[in-house]
Amino acid sequence: MISDKYLVEYKLDPEDPHLQEPGTVLLQSTVDIPPKTDPRDPHGINQHLKLEFSDILAEPSSFRTFDRIWTWSDITFESSRLWCYRIISLLCAVPVSLCSGFLFACLGCLHIWCVMPCIQLCTMAMPPIRALWASILDVLIAPLFTSLGRCCSAIYLTVTQK
């Protein structure tokens, strides 16, 4: 059952001038709604999914449907969006959470026990390998390319147009 702190009582204000217009109902809260204590998107990664009825459907000023039809459409849209999301998330949330948890556990284990030790090993082994590689380049490769460079330095190309 729902806790009493989430139940809110609303009263209609009969002196409100907006109530004189047909189809307009203004609700006035007698109890402050408690703030939500568990933010489900604390980092705002799904800000693009904040859609309302007016973001999807809107009538220009030249076309007007009946006020009740518009209100019912709004209620139908919001209700169907909410309940379809709830039903789909009921079916998908647990399996997706299980798969995601398993995947992140495997990735975490691989990172901790395989990737980081390999990186640390390479970091520790690189200075001697770098010194050995520099020696090989200096002893074998550098004289070869120096000789090739001296042999080819006497070659000149002249480009002419006919």
Side-chain angles (χ1 to χ4, degrees), residues 5-54:
K5 70 178 185 177
Y6 293 108
L7 296 177
V8 178
E9 181 180 332
Y10 287 97
K11 289 185 180 178
L12 293 176
D13 186 9
E15 273 118 58
D16 191 357
H18 294 290
L19 289 179
Q20 305 304 324
E21 298 175 18
T24 305
V25 175
L26 184 65
L27 299 176
Q28 188 177 36
S29 174
T30 58
V31 178
D32 290 335
I33 298 173
K36 292 189 177 191
T37 57
D38 65 338
R40 298 194 180 186
D41 189 10
H43 302 294
I45 60 174
N46 289 318
Q47 292 294 324
H48 60 286
L49 293 177
K50 288 187 175 181
L51 293 176
E52 294 181 5
F53 180 71
S54 61

Short mmCIF file of all heavy atoms in Angstrom, two decimals, residues 5-54:
data_model
loop_
_atom_site.label_atom_id
_atom_site.label_comp_id
_atom_site.label_asym_id
_atom_site.label_seq_id
_atom_site.Cartn_x
_atom_site.Cartn_y
_atom_site.Cartn_z
N LYS A 5 2.69 9.67 3.24
CA LYS A 5 3.47 10.86 2.90
C LYS A 5 3.46 11.16 1.40
O LYS A 5 3.76 12.25 0.98
CB LYS A 5 4.91 10.74 3.40
CG LYS A 5 5.75 9.74 2.68
CD LYS A 5 7.16 9.74 3.25
CE LYS A 5 8.06 8.83 2.45
NZ LYS A 5 9.41 8.86 2.90
N TYR A 6 3.06 10.17 0.57
CA TYR A 6 2.99 10.40 -0.86
C TYR A 6 1.59 10.77 -1.32
O TYR A 6 1.39 11.14 -2.47
CB TYR A 6 3.47 9.16 -1.62
CG TYR A 6 4.94 8.91 -1.43
CD1 TYR A 6 5.37 7.86 -0.67
CD2 TYR A 6 5.88 9.76 -1.99
CE1 TYR A 6 6.72 7.64 -0.46
CE2 TYR A 6 7.22 9.55 -1.79
CZ TYR A 6 7.64 8.49 -1.03
OH TYR A 6 8.97 8.29 -0.83
N LEU A 7 0.60 10.64 -0.45
CA LEU A 7 -0.76 11.01 -0.82
C LEU A 7 -0.94 12.51 -0.62
O LEU A 7 -0.59 13.05 0.43
CB LEU A 7 -1.76 10.23 0.03
CG LEU A 7 -1.76 8.71 -0.17
CD1 LEU A 7 -2.74 8.06 0.78
CD2 LEU A 7 -2.11 8.38 -1.59
N VAL A 8 -1.46 13.17 -1.61
CA VAL A 8 -1.62 14.63 -1.58
C VAL A 8 -3.09 14.95 -1.78
O VAL A 8 -3.74 14.43 -2.68
CB VAL A 8 -0.76 15.28 -2.69
CG1 VAL A 8 -0.96 16.78 -2.69
CG2 VAL A 8 0.70 14.94 -2.51
N GLU A 9 -3.60 15.83 -0.98
CA GLU A 9 -4.99 16.24 -1.08
C GLU A 9 -5.05 17.56 -1.84
O GLU A 9 -4.30 18.49 -1.57
CB GLU A 9 -5.58 16.42 0.32
CG GLU A 9 -7.03 16.83 0.32
CD GLU A 9 -7.57 17.00 1.73
OE1 GLU A 9 -7.06 16.34 2.64
OE2 GLU A 9 -8.47 17.81 1.90
N TYR A 10 -5.94 17.64 -2.82
CA TYR A 10 -6.12 18.85 -3.60
C TYR A 10 -7.52 19.38 -3.38
O TYR A 10 -8.48 18.64 -3.30
CB TYR A 10 -5.92 18.55 -5.10
CG TYR A 10 -4.49 18.32 -5.47
CD1 TYR A 10 -3.98 17.04 -5.59
CD2 TYR A 10 -3.64 19.40 -5.69
CE1 TYR A 10 -2.66 16.82 -5.92
CE2 TYR A 10 -2.32 19.20 -6.02
CZ TYR A 10 -1.84 17.91 -6.15
OH TYR A 10 -0.54 17.72 -6.47
N LYS A 11 -7.61 20.72 -3.30
CA LYS A 11 -8.91 21.37 -3.17
C LYS A 11 -9.08 22.35 -4.31
O LYS A 11 -8.14 23.03 -4.71
CB LYS A 11 -9.01 22.13 -1.83
CG LYS A 11 -9.10 21.23 -0.63
CD LYS A 11 -9.31 22.05 0.62
CE LYS A 11 -9.41 21.16 1.83
NZ LYS A 11 -9.56 21.93 3.06
N LEU A 12 -10.30 22.45 -4.81
CA LEU A 12 -10.60 23.43 -5.83
C LEU A 12 -10.86 24.77 -5.16
O LEU A 12 -11.52 24.85 -4.14
CB LEU A 12 -11.84 23.01 -6.62
CG LEU A 12 -11.67 21.77 -7.49
CD1 LEU A 12 -13.01 21.42 -8.12
CD2 LEU A 12 -10.63 22.00 -8.55
N ASP A 13 -10.32 25.81 -5.76
CA ASP A 13 -10.52 27.15 -5.25
C ASP A 13 -11.69 27.77 -6.02
O ASP A 13 -11.54 28.15 -7.18
CB ASP A 13 -9.24 27.97 -5.43
CG ASP A 13 -9.34 29.34 -4.79
OD1 ASP A 13 -10.31 29.62 -4.07
OD2 ASP A 13 -8.40 30.13 -5.02
N PRO A 14 -12.89 27.91 -5.43
CA PRO A 14 -14.06 28.39 -6.18
C PRO A 14 -13.96 29.86 -6.58
O PRO A 14 -14.64 30.30 -7.50
CB PRO A 14 -15.23 28.15 -5.23
CG PRO A 14 -14.65 27.97 -3.89
CD PRO A 14 -13.23 27.53 -4.06
N GLU A 15 -13.13 30.67 -5.91
CA GLU A 15 -13.04 32.08 -6.26
C GLU A 15 -12.03 32.35 -7.36
O GLU A 15 -11.83 33.50 -7.75
CB GLU A 15 -12.66 32.90 -5.03
CG GLU A 15 -13.87 33.33 -4.20
CD GLU A 15 -13.79 32.74 -2.82
OE1 GLU A 15 -12.82 32.99 -2.14
OE2 GLU A 15 -14.73 32.04 -2.48
N ASP A 16 -11.40 31.35 -7.84
CA ASP A 16 -10.39 31.54 -8.86
C ASP A 16 -11.07 31.93 -10.17
O ASP A 16 -12.01 31.27 -10.61
CB ASP A 16 -9.60 30.25 -9.04
CG ASP A 16 -8.35 30.44 -9.89
OD1 ASP A 16 -8.14 31.56 -10.38
OD2 ASP A 16 -7.59 29.47 -10.03
N PRO A 17 -10.61 33.01 -10.83
CA PRO A 17 -11.25 33.45 -12.09
C PRO A 17 -11.07 32.44 -13.22
O PRO A 17 -11.85 32.40 -14.16
CB PRO A 17 -10.57 34.77 -12.41
CG PRO A 17 -9.31 34.78 -11.63
CD PRO A 17 -9.55 33.91 -10.43
N HIS A 18 -10.04 31.59 -13.13
CA HIS A 18 -9.81 30.60 -14.18
C HIS A 18 -10.90 29.53 -14.19
O HIS A 18 -11.13 28.90 -15.21
CB HIS A 18 -8.44 29.93 -14.01
CG HIS A 18 -7.30 30.86 -14.21
ND1 HIS A 18 -6.98 31.36 -15.45
CD2 HIS A 18 -6.40 31.39 -13.34
CE1 HIS A 18 -5.93 32.15 -15.34
NE2 HIS A 18 -5.55 32.18 -14.07
N LEU A 19 -11.56 29.33 -13.07
CA LEU A 19 -12.62 28.32 -13.02
C LEU A 19 -13.87 28.79 -13.76
O LEU A 19 -14.75 27.99 -14.05
CB LEU A 19 -12.97 27.97 -11.57
CG LEU A 19 -11.91 27.16 -10.83
CD1 LEU A 19 -12.35 26.91 -9.40
CD2 LEU A 19 -11.65 25.85 -11.53
N GLN A 20 -13.96 30.09 -14.05
CA GLN A 20 -15.11 30.60 -14.76
C GLN A 20 -15.05 30.24 -16.25
O GLN A 20 -16.05 30.20 -16.92
CB GLN A 20 -15.20 32.13 -14.60
CG GLN A 20 -15.22 32.61 -13.15
CD GLN A 20 -16.34 31.98 -12.33
OE1 GLN A 20 -17.43 31.75 -12.83
NE2 GLN A 20 -16.05 31.68 -11.07
N GLU A 21 -13.82 29.97 -16.77
CA GLU A 21 -13.67 29.60 -18.17
C GLU A 21 -14.09 28.14 -18.32
O GLU A 21 -13.77 27.31 -17.48
CB GLU A 21 -12.22 29.75 -18.61
CG GLU A 21 -11.70 31.16 -18.52
CD GLU A 21 -10.22 31.23 -18.85
OE1 GLU A 21 -9.70 30.29 -19.47
OE2 GLU A 21 -9.59 32.23 -18.49
N PRO A 22 -14.81 27.82 -19.39
CA PRO A 22 -15.23 26.42 -19.57
C PRO A 22 -14.03 25.52 -19.88
O PRO A 22 -13.14 25.89 -20.63
CB PRO A 22 -16.18 26.48 -20.76
CG PRO A 22 -15.88 27.76 -21.46
CD PRO A 22 -15.31 28.69 -20.43
N GLY A 23 -14.01 24.37 -19.26
CA GLY A 23 -12.97 23.39 -19.52
C GLY A 23 -11.69 23.60 -18.74
O GLY A 23 -10.75 22.87 -18.91
N THR A 24 -11.63 24.63 -17.89
CA THR A 24 -10.41 24.89 -17.14
C THR A 24 -10.62 24.53 -15.69
O THR A 24 -11.58 24.95 -15.07
CB THR A 24 -10.02 26.39 -17.23
OG1 THR A 24 -9.92 26.74 -18.60
CG2 THR A 24 -8.72 26.64 -16.53
N VAL A 25 -9.70 23.74 -15.17
CA VAL A 25 -9.75 23.36 -13.77
C VAL A 25 -8.39 23.67 -13.16
O VAL A 25 -7.37 23.26 -13.69
CB VAL A 25 -10.07 21.85 -13.60
CG1 VAL A 25 -10.00 21.44 -12.15
CG2 VAL A 25 -11.41 21.53 -14.20
N LEU A 26 -8.37 24.41 -12.11
CA LEU A 26 -7.14 24.75 -11.43
C LEU A 26 -7.14 24.06 -10.08
O LEU A 26 -8.09 24.17 -9.32
CB LEU A 26 -7.03 26.27 -11.25
CG LEU A 26 -5.74 26.78 -10.62
CD1 LEU A 26 -4.57 26.47 -11.56
CD2 LEU A 26 -5.82 28.25 -10.35
N LEU A 27 -6.09 23.34 -9.81
CA LEU A 27 -5.98 22.62 -8.55
C LEU A 27 -4.99 23.33 -7.65
O LEU A 27 -3.96 23.79 -8.10
CB LEU A 27 -5.52 21.17 -8.81
CG LEU A 27 -6.45 20.33 -9.68
CD1 LEU A 27 -5.82 18.98 -9.92
CD2 LEU A 27 -7.79 20.17 -9.02
N GLN A 28 -5.31 23.40 -6.40
CA GLN A 28 -4.45 24.06 -5.44
C GLN A 28 -4.08 23.04 -4.37
O GLN A 28 -4.94 22.39 -3.80
CB GLN A 28 -5.18 25.25 -4.82
CG GLN A 28 -4.30 26.10 -3.94
CD GLN A 28 -5.08 27.30 -3.43
OE1 GLN A 28 -6.26 27.19 -3.15
NE2 GLN A 28 -4.41 28.42 -3.33
N SER A 29 -2.80 22.90 -4.13
CA SER A 29 -2.33 21.90 -3.19
C SER A 29 -2.43 22.42 -1.76
O SER A 29 -2.12 23.56 -1.49
CB SER A 29 -0.86 21.55 -3.51
OG SER A 29 -0.36 20.69 -2.54
N THR A 30 -2.91 21.54 -0.88
CA THR A 30 -2.95 21.92 0.53
C THR A 30 -1.77 21.34 1.29
O THR A 30 -1.50 21.73 2.40
CB THR A 30 -4.25 21.40 1.18
OG1 THR A 30 -4.29 19.99 1.04
CG2 THR A 30 -5.46 22.04 0.53
N VAL A 31 -1.07 20.40 0.66
CA VAL A 31 0.07 19.75 1.29
C VAL A 31 1.24 19.85 0.33
O VAL A 31 1.08 19.63 -0.87
CB VAL A 31 -0.24 18.27 1.60
CG1 VAL A 31 0.96 17.58 2.20
CG2 VAL A 31 -1.45 18.16 2.51
N ASP A 32 2.42 20.17 0.83
CA ASP A 32 3.59 20.19 -0.02
C ASP A 32 3.98 18.77 -0.40
O ASP A 32 3.99 17.87 0.43
CB ASP A 32 4.77 20.87 0.69
CG ASP A 32 4.55 22.36 0.86
OD1 ASP A 32 3.79 22.92 0.04
OD2 ASP A 32 5.12 22.94 1.79
N ILE A 33 4.32 18.59 -1.67
CA ILE A 33 4.74 17.28 -2.14
C ILE A 33 6.18 17.08 -1.69
O ILE A 33 7.03 17.96 -1.89
CB ILE A 33 4.63 17.20 -3.68
CG1 ILE A 33 3.18 17.38 -4.09
CG2 ILE A 33 5.20 15.89 -4.19
CD1 ILE A 33 2.98 17.47 -5.58
N PRO A 34 6.47 15.96 -1.05
CA PRO A 34 7.84 15.75 -0.58
C PRO A 34 8.79 15.59 -1.76
O PRO A 34 8.41 15.05 -2.80
CB PRO A 34 7.75 14.44 0.23
CG PRO A 34 6.56 13.75 -0.30
CD PRO A 34 5.61 14.82 -0.74
N PRO A 35 10.01 16.09 -1.62
CA PRO A 35 10.97 15.95 -2.72
C PRO A 35 11.36 14.48 -2.90
O PRO A 35 11.35 13.71 -1.95
CB PRO A 35 12.17 16.78 -2.27
CG PRO A 35 12.05 16.83 -0.79
CD PRO A 35 10.59 16.77 -0.48
N LYS A 36 11.69 14.14 -4.13
CA LYS A 36 12.10 12.77 -4.41
C LYS A 36 13.47 12.54 -3.76
O LYS A 36 14.38 13.34 -3.91
CB LYS A 36 12.17 12.53 -5.90
CG LYS A 36 10.80 12.56 -6.54
CD LYS A 36 10.86 12.10 -7.96
CE LYS A 36 9.46 12.08 -8.52
NZ LYS A 36 9.39 11.42 -9.78
N THR A 37 13.58 11.43 -3.07
CA THR A 37 14.81 11.16 -2.33
C THR A 37 15.78 10.28 -3.09
O THR A 37 16.93 10.22 -2.74
CB THR A 37 14.48 10.51 -0.98
OG1 THR A 37 13.73 9.31 -1.23
CG2 THR A 37 13.69 11.45 -0.09
N ASP A 38 15.32 9.57 -4.11
CA ASP A 38 16.23 8.71 -4.86
C ASP A 38 16.27 9.14 -6.32
O ASP A 38 15.47 8.72 -7.14
CB ASP A 38 15.84 7.24 -4.73
CG ASP A 38 14.48 6.92 -5.35
OD1 ASP A 38 13.67 7.86 -5.49
OD2 ASP A 38 14.26 5.76 -5.70
N PRO A 39 17.22 10.01 -6.67
CA PRO A 39 17.33 10.41 -8.07
C PRO A 39 17.76 9.20 -8.90
O PRO A 39 18.76 8.56 -8.61
CB PRO A 39 18.38 11.51 -8.06
CG PRO A 39 19.18 11.25 -6.84
CD PRO A 39 18.25 10.61 -5.85
N ARG A 40 17.00 8.91 -9.93
CA ARG A 40 17.31 7.73 -10.73
C ARG A 40 18.23 8.05 -11.91
O ARG A 40 18.73 7.15 -12.55
CB ARG A 40 16.02 7.10 -11.23
CG ARG A 40 15.18 6.63 -10.06
CD ARG A 40 14.11 5.72 -10.48
NE ARG A 40 13.35 5.31 -9.30
CZ ARG A 40 12.40 4.42 -9.34
NH1 ARG A 40 12.11 3.84 -10.47
NH2 ARG A 40 11.75 4.09 -8.26
N ASP A 41 18.41 9.33 -12.20
CA ASP A 41 19.35 9.75 -13.23
C ASP A 41 20.19 10.89 -12.67
O ASP A 41 20.07 12.04 -13.11
CB ASP A 41 18.58 10.18 -14.48
CG ASP A 41 19.47 10.42 -15.67
OD1 ASP A 41 20.67 10.08 -15.61
OD2 ASP A 41 18.98 10.94 -16.68
N PRO A 42 21.06 10.61 -11.68
CA PRO A 42 21.79 11.69 -11.01
C PRO A 42 22.76 12.42 -11.92
O PRO A 42 23.07 13.59 -11.70
CB PRO A 42 22.52 10.99 -9.87
CG PRO A 42 22.64 9.58 -10.30
CD PRO A 42 21.43 9.30 -11.16
N HIS A 43 23.25 11.78 -12.97
CA HIS A 43 24.21 12.41 -13.86
C HIS A 43 23.57 12.98 -15.11
O HIS A 43 24.24 13.55 -15.96
CB HIS A 43 25.31 11.42 -14.25
CG HIS A 43 26.05 10.86 -13.07
ND1 HIS A 43 26.84 11.64 -12.25
CD2 HIS A 43 26.06 9.63 -12.54
CE1 HIS A 43 27.34 10.90 -11.29
NE2 HIS A 43 26.87 9.66 -11.43
N GLY A 44 22.25 12.84 -15.24
CA GLY A 44 21.53 13.43 -16.36
C GLY A 44 21.88 12.84 -17.71
O GLY A 44 21.92 13.56 -18.69
N ILE A 45 22.11 11.54 -17.78
CA ILE A 45 22.48 10.94 -19.06
C ILE A 45 21.29 10.71 -19.98
O ILE A 45 21.46 10.45 -21.15
CB ILE A 45 23.26 9.62 -18.85
CG1 ILE A 45 22.42 8.59 -18.11
CG2 ILE A 45 24.57 9.86 -18.16
CD1 ILE A 45 23.07 7.23 -18.01
N ASN A 46 20.08 10.84 -19.46
CA ASN A 46 18.89 10.64 -20.28
C ASN A 46 18.03 11.90 -20.35
O ASN A 46 16.80 11.82 -20.37
CB ASN A 46 18.07 9.46 -19.75
CG ASN A 46 18.76 8.14 -20.01
OD1 ASN A 46 19.29 7.93 -21.08
ND2 ASN A 46 18.77 7.27 -19.03
N GLN A 47 18.66 13.05 -20.42
CA GLN A 47 17.91 14.31 -20.51
C GLN A 47 17.12 14.40 -21.81
O GLN A 47 16.09 15.05 -21.86
CB GLN A 47 18.87 15.50 -20.41
CG GLN A 47 19.52 15.66 -19.06
CD GLN A 47 18.51 16.02 -17.98
OE1 GLN A 47 17.55 16.74 -18.24
NE2 GLN A 47 18.70 15.49 -16.79
N HIS A 48 17.60 13.75 -22.85
CA HIS A 48 16.93 13.81 -24.15
C HIS A 48 15.62 13.03 -24.16
O HIS A 48 14.85 13.16 -25.10
CB HIS A 48 17.86 13.29 -25.25
CG HIS A 48 18.29 11.87 -25.04
ND1 HIS A 48 19.21 11.51 -24.09
CD2 HIS A 48 17.88 10.74 -25.64
CE1 HIS A 48 19.37 10.20 -24.12
NE2 HIS A 48 18.58 9.71 -25.05
N LEU A 49 15.35 12.24 -23.14
CA LEU A 49 14.11 11.45 -23.09
C LEU A 49 12.99 12.11 -22.31
O LEU A 49 11.96 11.51 -22.10
CB LEU A 49 14.40 10.07 -22.49
CG LEU A 49 15.29 9.17 -23.33
CD1 LEU A 49 15.56 7.87 -22.60
CD2 LEU A 49 14.67 8.90 -24.68
N LYS A 50 13.18 13.35 -21.88
CA LYS A 50 12.12 14.05 -21.14
C LYS A 50 11.14 14.62 -22.16
O LYS A 50 11.27 15.73 -22.65
CB LYS A 50 12.72 15.17 -20.30
CG LYS A 50 13.47 14.66 -19.10
CD LYS A 50 13.89 15.80 -18.21
CE LYS A 50 14.53 15.28 -16.96
NZ LYS A 50 14.92 16.34 -16.06
N LEU A 51 10.14 13.80 -22.48
CA LEU A 51 9.13 14.19 -23.45
C LEU A 51 7.79 14.39 -22.76
O LEU A 51 7.46 13.67 -21.83
CB LEU A 51 8.97 13.11 -24.51
CG LEU A 51 10.14 12.89 -25.44
CD1 LEU A 51 9.86 11.73 -26.36
CD2 LEU A 51 10.43 14.13 -26.24
N GLU A 52 7.06 15.35 -23.24
CA GLU A 52 5.72 15.59 -22.77
C GLU A 52 4.79 15.57 -23.97
O GLU A 52 5.23 15.53 -25.12
CB GLU A 52 5.63 16.93 -22.04
CG GLU A 52 6.43 16.96 -20.76
CD GLU A 52 6.30 18.30 -20.05
OE1 GLU A 52 5.51 19.14 -20.50
OE2 GLU A 52 6.99 18.48 -19.05
N PHE A 53 3.51 15.61 -23.69
CA PHE A 53 2.49 15.58 -24.74
C PHE A 53 2.69 16.73 -25.72
O PHE A 53 2.61 16.54 -26.93
CB PHE A 53 1.11 15.65 -24.08
CG PHE A 53 -0.04 15.63 -25.04
CD1 PHE A 53 -0.35 14.46 -25.74
CD2 PHE A 53 -0.81 16.75 -25.25
CE1 PHE A 53 -1.41 14.44 -26.63
CE2 PHE A 53 -1.88 16.72 -26.13
CZ PHE A 53 -2.18 15.56 -26.82
N SER A 54 3.00 17.92 -25.21
CA SER A 54 3.16 19.09 -26.08
C SER A 54 4.43 19.01 -26.93
O SER A 54 4.54 19.73 -27.91
CB SER A 54 3.16 20.36 -25.24
OG SER A 54 4.23 20.34 -24.32
#
